[in-house]
Every structure is written in C-alpha cells, then in structure tokens.
Amino acid sequence: MKPLDEEVMPILNHSDEEWVLILERTLKHPIEDVWAALTQSDQLPAWGPFATDRDLVSTGPVALSHVNHAEENVKRQGEVLTVEAPHLLIFKWGNDILRWELSVSDNNTILILRHRFTDYQMAPSLAAGWTLCLKGLTGILEGKQMPSMAGSNAVLYGWQELHDEYKKLFESEGDR
C-alpha cells in the first residue's frame, strides 16, 4: 500500500537526542470539525491509536488507552500541555510529544502533526501508523464508517508495506 498521491510524505528531522516525524494533510473540512475530531474523547478512538478519559480541551493529565492492542487495557499517562482552540494542541503520550497544528487555506484545513520521540528505530513504525490514522481521520470527517486501522488492526490495512516504504525513505535520506 503506497501513500495516496495527495498525501505529503512524512519528513523525519533530528535534533539533539530527539527525532521529529512530521506529517501534513490538507483536509477538505472546516477547522472546527477537524478540531473536534482531534479533541473530543468520543471521536478519537474512531480514527486514532488511543482513547482518552476526557476531552483534550484543557491542560492537565489525561489517561490514554491503546486501541486494538494485543494486551487489553494498555494505558499510558498523558498530559495536555497546550490548547489554543482551534489551532494548536500539544500533549505528551508516554515520553513522546504530539503537536497538532491546524490552519485554514481557502476552504480547507491544513493539519500538521509533529511527533517528537527518541528512538530512531521507531520512525518507520510511527510514520506507517500515523499515515493509517490520518487516513481514518479523513474518512471519519467525510462521514464514512471507517474501520479502526490502529493497533493490531493496522497490519490488515497495509501497515507493513508502509513501514517498509518509510524505512527505505528514511534510510535513503541518511537521517540515521
């Protein structure tokens, strides 16, 4: 499974001891709808890799439960660090930092995800996982009934092929 032509390939940057995976999507939906999908606890598990114990609309602790994980009830403590509705959401997922930026261009919403992490070996896995999650987000926003493509279900939707493609991409860019 190759990324869709209209998708921008993930970018992997390195600084100090950390890596930043950057994914950008143009969504043909109002910014308010995209913001709701990113922050409302009832919408997150429909497309994302985790469920939350609350909406992500204020700073503070949040429990994140993995979706479709082989082990039941796998939870990580998270923390919402910054909320500037409807443009910026930053939160910790375990030791990683997820930064979601939204802006408007014409009648579209530009979504940029910056996932900061420390283990380079995780880069292809994260890129493949987020590619599938963002595909799910797009489908949900379009009103489609989307299957969960996160966790152990990801392999059913091309995760391995994406992982292998991104591994080659990142190695060819010499980002190691």
Side-chain angles (χ1 to χ4, degrees), residues 20-110:
V20 179
L21 177 68
I22 304 167
L23 293 102
E24 180 178 332
R25 296 293 182 273
T26 299
L27 303 168
K28 298 175 183 182
H29 307 282
I31 194 170
E32 295 80 13
D33 293 351
V34 178
W35 181 257
L38 293 177
T39 60
Q40 292 181 2
S41 63
D42 61 336
Q43 292 195 46
L44 282 164
W47 64 268
F50 47 73
T52 62
D53 66 344
R54 67 176 182 90
D55 291 345
L56 305 179
V57 295
S58 61
T59 58
V62 60
L64 305 165
S65 303
H66 287 270
V67 173
N68 300 322
H69 198 276
E71 299 174 32
E72 300 254 344
N73 299 319
V74 174
K75 293 184 181 185
R76 282 189 178 171
Q77 185 60 40
E79 182 176 1
V80 178
L81 303 172
T82 304
V83 177
E84 296 175 12
H87 299 285
L88 180 64
L89 173 66
I90 304 172
F91 64 94
K92 286 181 75 169
W93 182 23
N95 293 322
D96 297 358
I97 302 287
L98 300 177
R99 178 184 180 99
W100 299 88
E101 302 168 20
L102 302 179
S103 60
V104 176
S105 177
D106 297 323
N107 290 328
N108 300 317
T109 299
I110 307 301

Side-chain angles (χ1 to χ4, degrees), residues 144-172:
K144 296 177 183 173
Q145 190 73 353
M146 297 294 292
S148 174
M149 293 184 273
S152 57
N153 283 0
V155 295
L156 304 173
Y157 299 97
W159 179 90
Q160 188 64 56
E161 294 86 351
L162 287 168
H163 174 276
D164 295 347
E165 181 179 341
Y166 294 144
K167 184 174 182 182
K168 286 181 206 167
L169 172 70
F170 298 149
E171 288 173 353
S172 71

